[in-house]
């Protein structure tokens, strides 16, 4: 009996700008069910961080409770990590981000963690525009506790044990757009060609970036009629656009016919190039995004791609006018500026 | 690319690199697993079935399997396959009762084997159990051929040789020792139904045109003849200063033997660069370890004889230049000649076939370099009842090649005697069985260990150099043998992909440690090799291509550095991947020996 990932790697693996190979971004071997969509998302995160040449120590991965929240163990072993109480990851991320704005914050959550127990936390992190990537591995069931219906289970759907779901599903992307999220996308664990550039763009976004990733639960919710199954998603996949993420120093090489392409310049100088698959739609226009989403929902389509982005996004640090550097780099001189400064501050209140 | 046809027995055979590279196609991973399971007798028999001389080959094989070993492509060194074979031979129990025996009732056919080396003995092993009456002729008083006359005892103890030769001879072979066959015509006149020639390449090359060669004759010996005279005890001493000419394994055997017979200053001189030497690297290392300098780029110019005694040899200095086609030429550097003192010179610069005893009017055609015209598949000569094998067929090779020839020649002889076409070759025996036992449980040890290759202990130099019969390599003990066996990647446990079961969840692609698996749009092979997850630059390794999947993509697996760890199958939710053991055995004239639970 064995379940050990060998240490040998392909001898000709490509290296990124830091000289790392992709395996330098891997984690421990997954203990999730074989074929779990979450593992594909983990692999897409590994791929994205490798391609972006992120120094592993510059990233913090945070999660709550659930199958999704186990995954940080399975990627980026050399990065920081925090596994919080159920549904409380957004608070931890907010606090960490306040303390050290220099790290990249990657939150991983699930439909239970975000749409049920952590809903309050989730919407407030959106509202505050915390600068983080928030990935929801959305499988439409409580996989870790044997597949009960969750808040994103289809209305009228059945759990594997036979329980009928009487309640409408919460659509996290619509909710996020409603709450003023500045970057909202949806993708599918089985489509890395789309998912990887979306993760990269989400990392580049300055502010809260939600990626709702449909991730089939092979054990409890991969029935053909479930909107979260491999078969259903593949049959009803409707993408808003194909997306290329172009880092700052690279040239844009793909060109599309006029009117079908949109370039979105990101805060860090990189560019997202969208190839729109439907005209009359603009990812920078919140109304058109909502309309498009509702239309897809009515047609039973799984609309994927970048749904909405606000390139002018102001994150919480900007709104709060916080200090420019991580708190741990502040020394005594800055923290205790002396009695004359105290006098001046006190004087303001007189 | 078209979907891979895995029903073609050669597809998975090629994935088992070691077995594929072995001329006799010994099921290497199979016996290595048996060694790890301490089933040495079974491991020995799997070998014996395939290569007849496991104990001998476990010490002396040229090991074409090792450079082929997949392990050498993911880390520094291949598995010590040859040394593991020896572990099986050294630790086996009683094996003779497991071997086939010759039936009392003969089938009425009589076969003559000319030469008692590995090729002939293999033919005897394969035909005797079928009831053939076999007559073996050899000029020496024992069988074994070059294994006895050319491989020194410090590499191959006589007891090991005798044991394995006797397993064959004890099958009721009629031996005609001390009988030099001087006329094929006379053999043909006897009532043999078929004749197999396994006389090797018995003629050592000389340097007749080098100045002083006739005058020095008394002090100059041909390597293979000199080794034979040592092996049979006709020669027990040598001079103090010896020059050995040549860079092959015979030269290495000569210099090391000379060290044991009293040679104090033994020097090997090769005319070409050190890196071009034909000797196996480990043989060169062993010679150097015994304080034998190897001088390179020095072609011989003259034997220097004074007063009827050899004083030494004169050598020129050359440099090797390679043209754009890689063709080498040795160009004199203009440096002064070098004189090396010597009392004796051994010439070991190669050997040739020699058939002075085959009359040229018998219908046996000879072609280039005076080699017989022999069919590469059937080993039949132009005279239908005469077959050739081993070095005698196509020139000098090695023991394991001779064994492979012997098996095929035996099939031909059997077909020929039964009046069937010799081209009616039997297909290999193949078997493919799932290894799945449960969740995370396979019936093979799928964990990949990271141990580096273990080194084999050697006898102490002072002791070894005193006696040519003291074996230098001591072999692995069973515990090191186990550890080395665990380095084997089990390449015969194949990854089998079932297209219709795949739901394209990417789990296998994500988990594969060596990035072998890619799901992508189909294309030409050249195109695909460039756009897989890791570049597939080793074109000698195949791409395993699935049929079209639901999304229109295909699964492509680059076989090159697959560790056969089974993680793809572990992570597959629908068992679209399975690990299945592929056993490939070359068919023999006699039934294939197998153990029931293999």
């Amino acid at each position: 009996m064995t379940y050990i990932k060998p240490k040998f790697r392909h001898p000709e693996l490509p290296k990124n700008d830091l000289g790392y190979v992709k395996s330098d971004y891997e984690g421990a071997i997954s203990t999730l069910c074989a074929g779990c969509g979450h593992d594909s998302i983990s692999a897409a995160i590994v791929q994205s961080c490798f391609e972006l040449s992120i120094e592993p120590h510059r990233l913090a991965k945070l999660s709550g409770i659930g199958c999704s929240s186990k995954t940080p163990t399975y990627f980026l072993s050399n990065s920081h990590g925090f596994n919080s109480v159920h549904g409380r990851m957004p608070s931890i991320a907010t606090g960490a981000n306040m303390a050290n704005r220099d790290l990249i914050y990657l939150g991983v959550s699930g439909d239970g963690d975000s749409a049920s127990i952590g809903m309050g936390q989730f919407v407030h992190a959106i509202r505050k525009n915390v600068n983080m990537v928030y990935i929801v591995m959305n499988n439409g069931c409580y996989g870790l506790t044997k597949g009960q219906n969750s808040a994103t289970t289809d209305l009228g759907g059945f759990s594997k044990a036979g329980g009928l779901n009487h309640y409408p599903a919460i659509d996290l992307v619509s909710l996020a757009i409603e709450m003023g999220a500045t970057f909202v996308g949806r993708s599918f664990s089985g489509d890395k060609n789309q998912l990887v550039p979306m993760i990269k763009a989400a990392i580049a976004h300055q502010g809260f970036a939600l990626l709702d990733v449909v991730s089939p639960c092979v054990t409890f919710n991969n029935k053909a009629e479930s909107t979260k199954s491999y078969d259903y998603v593949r049959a009803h996949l409707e993408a808003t656009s194909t997306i290329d993420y172009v880092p700052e120093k690279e040239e844009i090489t793909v060109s599309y016919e006029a009117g079908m392409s949109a370039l979105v310049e990101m805060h860090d100088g990189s560019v997202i190039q969208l190839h729109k698959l439907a005209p009359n739609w603009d990812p920078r226009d919140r109304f058109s995004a909502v309309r498009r989403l509702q239309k897809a929902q009515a047609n039973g389509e799984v609309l994927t791609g970048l749904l909405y982005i606000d390139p002018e996004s102001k994150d919480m640090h900007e709104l709060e006018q916080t200090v420019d550097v991580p708190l741990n780099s502040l020394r005594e001189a800055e923290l205790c500026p002396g009695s004359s400064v105290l006098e001046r501050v006190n004087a303001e209140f007189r | 690319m078209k979907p891979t046809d895995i029903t073609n027995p050669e597809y998975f055979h090629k994935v088992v690199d070691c077995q594929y590279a072995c001329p006799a196609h010994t099921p290497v991973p199979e016996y290595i697993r048996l060694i790890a399971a301490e089933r040495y007798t079974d491991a020995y028999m799997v070998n014996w079935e395939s290569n007849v001389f496991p104990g001998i080959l476990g010490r002396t094989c040229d090991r074409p399997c090792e450079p082929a070993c997949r392990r050498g492509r993911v880390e520094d060194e291949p598995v010590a396959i040859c040394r593991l074979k020896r572990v099986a031979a050294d630790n086996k129990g009683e094996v003779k009762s497991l071997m086939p025996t010759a039936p009392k009732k003969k089938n009425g056919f009589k076969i003559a084997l000319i030469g008692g080396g590995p090729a002939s003995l293999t033919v005897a092993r394969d035909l005797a159990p079928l009831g053939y009456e076999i007559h073996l002729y050899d000029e020496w008083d024992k069988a074994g051929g070059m294994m006895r006359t050319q491989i020194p005892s410090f590499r191959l103890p006589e007891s090991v040789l005798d044991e394995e030769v006797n397993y064959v001879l004890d099958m009721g072979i009629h031996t005609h020792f001390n009988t030099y066959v001087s006329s094929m015509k006379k053999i043909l006149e006897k009532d043999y139904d078929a004749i197999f020639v396994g006389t090797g390449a018995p003629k050592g090359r000389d340097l007749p045109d080098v100045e002083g060669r006739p005058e020095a004759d008394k002090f100059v010996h041909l390597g293979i003849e000199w080794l034979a005279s040592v092996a049979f005890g006709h020669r027990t001493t040598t001079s103090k200063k010896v020059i050995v000419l040549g860079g092959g394994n015979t030269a290495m055997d000569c210099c090391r033997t000379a060290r044991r017979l009293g040679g104090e200053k033994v020097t090997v001189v090769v005319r070409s660069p050190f890196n071009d030497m034909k000797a196996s690297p480990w043989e060169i290392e062993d010679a150097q370890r015994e304080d034998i300098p190897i001088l390179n780029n020095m072609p011989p110019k003259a034997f220097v004889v004074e007063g009827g005694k050899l004083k030494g040899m004169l050598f020129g200095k050359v440099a090797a230049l390679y043209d754009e086609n890689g063709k080498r030429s040795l160009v004199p550097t203009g440096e002064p000649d070098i004189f090396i003192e010597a009392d004796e010179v051994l010439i070991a610069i190669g050997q040739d076939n020699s058939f002075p005893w085959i009359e040229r009017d018998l219908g046996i055609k000879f072609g280039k370099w005076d080699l017989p015209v022999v069919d590469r598949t059937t080993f039949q000569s132009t005279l239908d009842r005469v077959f050739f094998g081993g070095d005698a067929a196509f020139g000098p090779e090695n023991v394991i090649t001779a064994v492979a020839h012997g098996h095929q020649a035996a099939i031909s002889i059997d077909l020929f005697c039964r009046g069937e076409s010799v081209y009616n070759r039997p297909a290999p025996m193949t078997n493919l069985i799932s290894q799945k036992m449960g969740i995370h449980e396979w019936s093979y040890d799928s964990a990949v260990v990271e141990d580096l290759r273990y080194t084999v202990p050697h006898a102490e130099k002072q002791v070894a150099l005193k006696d040519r019969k003291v074996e230098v390599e001591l072999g692995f003990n069973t515990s090191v043998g186990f550890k080395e066996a665990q380095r084997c990647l089990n390449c015969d446990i194949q990854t089998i992909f079932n297209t219709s079961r795949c739901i394209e969840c990417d789990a296998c692609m994500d988990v594969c440690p060596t990035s072998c698996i890619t799901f992508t749009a189909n294309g030409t092979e050249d195109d695909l090799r460039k756009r897989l997850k890791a570049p597939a630059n080793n074109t000698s390794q195949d791409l395993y291509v699935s049929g079209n999947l639901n999304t229109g993509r295909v699964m492509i697996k680059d076989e090159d550095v697959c560790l056969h760890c089974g993680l793809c199958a572990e992570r597959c939710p629908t068992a679209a991947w399975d690990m299945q053991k592929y056993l490939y055995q070359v068919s023999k004239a006699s039934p294939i020996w197998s153990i029931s639970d293999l």
Side-chain angles (χ1 to χ4, degrees):
Chain A
M1 157 162 173
T2 165
Y3 192 47
I4 304 159
K5 188 157 180 172
K7 290 218 172 65
F8 294 125
R9 293 293 177 266
H10 195 292
E12 290 167 65
L13 281 183
K15 289 192 162 104
N16 66 13
D17 294 345
L18 299 172
Y20 291 136
V21 292
K22 208 178 78 182
S23 59
D24 293 322
Y25 293 86
E26 288 173 358
I29 194 163
S30 171
T31 55
L32 298 171
C33 307
C36 180
H38 297 6
D39 286 334
S40 281
I41 303 171
S42 298
I45 293 170
V46 168
Q47 182 73 27
S48 307
C49 293
F50 163 73
E51 288 177 10
L52 287 174
S53 295
I54 290 173
E55 294 166 291
H57 69 272
R58 285 202 50 244
L59 187 143
K61 42 186 187 174
L62 305 110
S63 66
I65 296 295
C67 292
S68 62
S69 297
K70 289 173 73 178
T71 61
T73 310
Y74 315 137
F75 57 81
L76 300 172
S77 276
N78 297 313
S79 296
H80 307 282
F82 196 108
N83 190 216
S84 84
V85 181
H86 205 352
R88 270 58 189 164
M89 178 269 282
S91 303
I92 305 292
T94 307
N97 192 317
M98 280 285 95
N100 185 348
R101 61 188 296 169
D102 278 1
L103 295 185
I104 296 163
Y105 292 93
L106 176 65
V108 177
S109 185
D111 40 321
D113 201 54
S114 285
S116 295
I117 192 169
M119 177 66 100
Q121 301 254 325
F122 173 65
V123 294
H124 283 283
I126 295 175
R127 184 175 152 258
K128 290 174 184 160
N129 204 19
V130 178
N131 184 15
M132 71 181 296
V133 178
Y134 193 106
I135 294 177
V136 178
M137 299 183 175
N138 192 346
N139 59 12
C141 72
Y142 296 145
L144 199 62
T145 53
K146 306 255 168 105
Q148 298 84 351
N149 291 325
S150 79
T152 64
T153 305
D154 310 322
L155 175 64
F158 287 91
S159 72
K160 197 172 183 180
L164 173 67
N165 178 36
H166 304 282
Y167 311 109
I170 292 173
D171 183 28
L172 290 169
V173 288
S174 301
L175 178 71
I177 293 173
E178 182 64 28
M179 289 308 302
T182 51
F183 182 113
V184 180
R186 189 192 276 136
S187 191
F188 170 46
S189 70
D191 185 2
K192 286 206 188 68
N193 287 342
Q194 184 195 51
L195 182 54
V196 170
M198 285 199 18
I199 294 174
K200 287 157 78 174
I203 291 173
H205 177 70
Q206 184 81 8
F208 190 91
L210 171 72
L211 290 178
D212 176 27
V213 187
V214 181
S215 174
C217 174
V218 282
T219 304
F220 294 110
N221 199 16
N222 196 27
K223 306 175 291 285
E225 66 276 13
S226 164
T227 60
K228 307 280 191 295
S229 69
Y230 281 108
D231 286 349
Y232 186 93
V233 179
R234 287 217 166 94
H236 298 84
L237 201 73
E238 183 67 32
T240 58
S241 55
T242 61
I243 154 168
D244 284 321
Y245 174 78
V246 188
E248 188 183 13
K249 55 184 182 295
E250 278 175 33
E251 218 181 319
I252 293 171
T253 49
V254 193
S255 60
Y256 298 107
E257 61 181 289
M260 293 301 279
S261 174
L263 292 181
V264 182
E265 195 163 334
M266 307 294 282
H267 201 267
D268 62 1
S270 59
V271 170
I272 302 176
Q273 185 178 31
L274 291 162
H275 175 222
K276 292 191 281 183
L277 298 176
N280 312 322
W281 169 79
D282 184 351
R284 284 161 292 201
D285 178 352
R286 188 179 299 206
F287 296 113
S288 79
V290 172
R291 219 172 17 241
R292 187 73 189 82
L293 265 171
Q294 290 186 346
K295 199 175 131 206
Q297 213 162 27
N299 294 341
E301 294 164 355
V302 181
L303 190 67
T304 63
L306 179 58
L307 303 171
Y308 174 71
I309 180 168
D310 173 9
E312 311 290 307
S313 160
K314 285 188 171 64
D315 82 330
M316 185 171 56
H317 283 285
E318 221 172 318
L319 298 169
E320 295 273 4
Q321 295 184 356
T322 57
V323 63
D324 289 339
V325 293
L327 301 187
N328 63 8
S329 64
L330 297 174
R331 293 289 166 260
E332 196 178 353
E334 289 107 31
L335 293 171
C336 300
S339 50
S340 60
V341 177
L342 181 65
E343 283 295 320
R344 202 184 66 219
V345 172
N346 283 339
E348 286 171 15
F349 294 105
R350 289 198 179 104
Chain B
M1 288 182 78
K2 284 195 184 125
T4 302
D5 177 16
I6 60 167
T7 59
N8 177 352
E10 292 307 304
Y11 181 75
F12 284 137
H13 182 203
K14 206 175 155 200
V15 175
V16 194
D17 294 289
C18 46
Q19 185 180 12
Y20 191 70
C22 175
H25 303 312
T26 303
V28 176
E30 183 70 54
Y31 79 72
I32 289 183
R33 273 191 303 276
L34 289 168
I35 290 168
E38 299 183 327
R39 292 169 62 180
Y40 305 112
T41 303
D42 290 334
Y44 182 87
M45 287 304 293
V46 167
N47 265 289
W48 186 83
E49 198 287 321
S50 170
N51 56 46
V52 194
F53 306 108
I56 296 168
L57 289 165
R59 291 166 166 85
T60 65
C61 190
D62 264 7
R63 318 175 192 174
C65 51
E66 292 191 17
C69 174
R70 181 179 307 264
R71 185 112 190 165
R73 299 201 291 272
V74 291
E75 61 134 315
D76 296 343
E77 293 253 35
V79 175
I81 300 170
C82 184
R83 292 322 176 238
L84 286 173
K85 192 192 302 291
R86 176 174 169 178
V87 171
D90 285 357
N91 295 287
K92 67 183 184 299
E94 199 279 319
V95 289
K96 201 164 177 191
S97 62
L98 301 170
M99 293 174 178
T101 50
K104 286 218 174 68
K105 192 172 175 306
K106 299 293 166 191
N107 67 1
F109 295 110
K110 266 177 83 174
I111 313 292
L113 309 174
I114 317 297
S120 289
L121 289 169
T122 303
V123 175
R125 207 271 323 246
D126 285 359
L127 293 182
L130 300 176
Y132 285 89
E133 183 183 322
I134 292 166
H135 292 261
L136 181 133
Y137 293 86
D138 197 282
E139 63 176 306
W140 302 100
D141 61 358
K142 278 180 161 182
M146 63 74 65
M147 302 188 292
R148 189 178 300 278
T149 62
Q150 291 178 29
I151 301 177
S153 305
F154 55 83
R155 286 212 287 133
L156 174 61
E158 211 175 350
S159 56
V160 175
L161 178 64
D162 286 343
E163 178 192 329
E164 293 190 334
V165 167
N166 287 339
Y167 287 144
V168 178
L169 297 184
D170 290 352
M171 291 177 174
I173 311 298
H174 302 268
T175 55
H176 305 263
F177 290 139
N178 299 311
T179 307
Y180 179 77
V181 174
S182 58
S183 164
M184 178 59 111
K185 197 161 174 245
K186 284 194 181 136
I187 293 283
L188 287 171
E189 281 163 7
K190 294 186 183 177
D191 57 346
Y192 293 119
D193 295 284
I195 295 149
F196 176 81
V197 180
T199 50
K203 204 174 98 187
R205 277 190 207 148
D206 203 344
L207 291 165
D209 301 331
V210 174
E211 189 190 319
R213 172 71 183 86
E215 294 80 2
D217 195 48
K218 230 166 63 178
F219 310 99
V220 178
H221 315 285
L222 294 181
I224 57 172
E225 289 173 12
W226 184 81
L227 285 171
S229 62
V230 174
F232 285 99
H234 304 152
R235 182 184 297 275
T236 52
T237 58
T238 189
S239 314
K240 289 208 163 75
K241 285 175 278 185
V242 181
I243 292 176
V244 177
L245 303 177
N249 283 338
T250 306
M252 297 303 107
D253 286 339
C254 283
C255 66
R256 296 177 68 198
T257 303
R259 282 286 279 137
R260 285 158 173 79
L261 299 191
E264 286 168 8
K265 191 171 167 287
V266 179
T267 312
V268 174
V269 185
V270 286
R271 63 187 195 110
S272 48
F274 187 82
N275 289 338
D276 291 359
M277 280 174 69
K278 287 212 175 76
S280 312
W282 55 92
E283 307 271 332
I284 296 173
E285 259 170 50
D286 287 348
Q288 289 174 321
R289 202 176 288 136
E290 292 171 1
D291 314 318
I292 300 166
I294 298 173
L295 310 178
N296 65 353
N297 288 327
M298 287 166 58
K301 275 200 158 172
F303 293 87
V304 181
V305 182
E306 278 173 27
K309 284 204 81 167
L310 182 73
K311 288 283 161 199
M313 281 190 76
L314 208 56
F315 295 93
K317 278 293 277 178
V318 294
L321 295 179
Y322 298 87
D323 69 10
E324 62 228 28
N325 301 323
K327 196 170 157 14
R328 188 187 75 189
S329 49
L330 298 172
V331 184
T333 59
E335 289 167 84
D337 291 346
I338 292 166
F339 176 77
I340 299 173
E341 278 188 80
D343 312 315
E344 253 177 299
V345 174
L346 304 175
I347 304 180
I349 55 171
Q351 55 200 84
D352 289 313
N353 292 48
S354 173
F355 300 100
W357 56 281
I358 299 182
E359 295 82 352
R360 301 302 148 110
D361 57 356
L362 302 172
I364 302 172
K365 261 196 217 154
F366 281 77
K368 225 172 158 189
W369 298 308
D370 214 24
L371 282 171
V373 176
V374 176
D375 187 298
R376 290 235 165 227
T377 310
T378 64
F379 295 86
Q380 195 174 34
S381 75
T382 52
L383 183 62
D384 62 2
R385 63 192 171 109
V386 177
F387 299 81
F388 284 76
D391 290 359
F394 310 112
E397 282 284 348
N398 49 37
V399 176
I400 189 67
T401 304
V403 170
H405 290 180
H407 285 312
Q408 294 306 316
I411 290 173
S412 301
I413 292 169
D414 184 41
L415 289 168
F416 175 76
C417 289
R418 291 193 281 113
E420 287 182 39
S421 164
V422 289
Y423 291 99
N424 191 12
R425 317 298 295 178
M429 212 288 288
T430 62
N431 207 356
L432 194 61
I433 308 171
S434 177
Q435 301 296 291
K436 193 166 181 71
M437 290 170 69
I439 294 173
H440 303 336
E441 271 190 289
W442 302 99
S443 56
Y444 74 107
D445 208 347
S446 61
V448 176
V449 299
E450 275 127 41
D451 299 16
L452 298 177
R453 181 174 167 126
Y454 289 87
T455 48
V456 166
H458 282 214
E460 227 178 297
K461 195 161 83 180
Q462 282 82 353
V463 178
L465 286 179
K466 276 200 187 108
D467 182 352
R468 72 173 175 91
K469 293 194 172 179
V470 170
E471 191 173 14
V472 173
E473 279 199 13
L474 301 177
F476 290 135
N477 62 28
T478 51
S479 72
V480 180
F482 169 76
K483 288 189 208 157
E484 185 64 34
Q486 289 295 86
R487 293 181 71 238
C488 175
L489 294 173
N490 300 292
C491 299
D492 60 338
I493 314 289
Q494 304 291 352
T495 53
I496 311 282
F497 185 74
N498 181 329
T499 304
S500 64
R501 282 193 180 154
C502 177
I503 58 167
E504 300 178 67
C505 67
D506 289 357
C508 51
M509 177 164 90
D510 295 337
V511 80
C512 177
T514 43
S515 313
C516 300
I517 302 168
T518 308
F519 287 80
T520 187
N522 209 337
T524 62
E525 179 165 353
D526 288 350
D527 162 44
L528 282 169
R529 280 186 178 274
K530 276 183 232 119
R531 59 184 170 85
L532 298 182
K533 271 185 85 189
N537 295 328
N538 184 355
T539 49
S540 70
Q541 292 284 319
D542 289 333
L543 300 181
Y544 180 1
V545 183
S546 77
N548 280 341
L549 295 158
N550 279 340
T551 58
R553 300 181 300 173
V554 286
M555 184 289 302
I556 313 273
K557 182 195 165 211
D558 178 14
E559 298 281 8
D560 186 21
V561 290
C562 169
L563 301 171
H564 297 257
C565 63
L567 284 181
C568 48
E570 293 260 355
R571 297 306 292 164
C572 182
T574 59
W577 285 105
D578 191 20
M579 303 305 289
Q580 300 187 5
K581 187 172 84 174
Y582 184 64
L583 183 62
Y584 177 105
Q585 286 175 297
V586 177
S587 285
K588 314 279 154 53
S590 49
I592 293 175
W593 183 91
S594 62
I595 38 180
S596 53
D597 60 341
L598 269 192

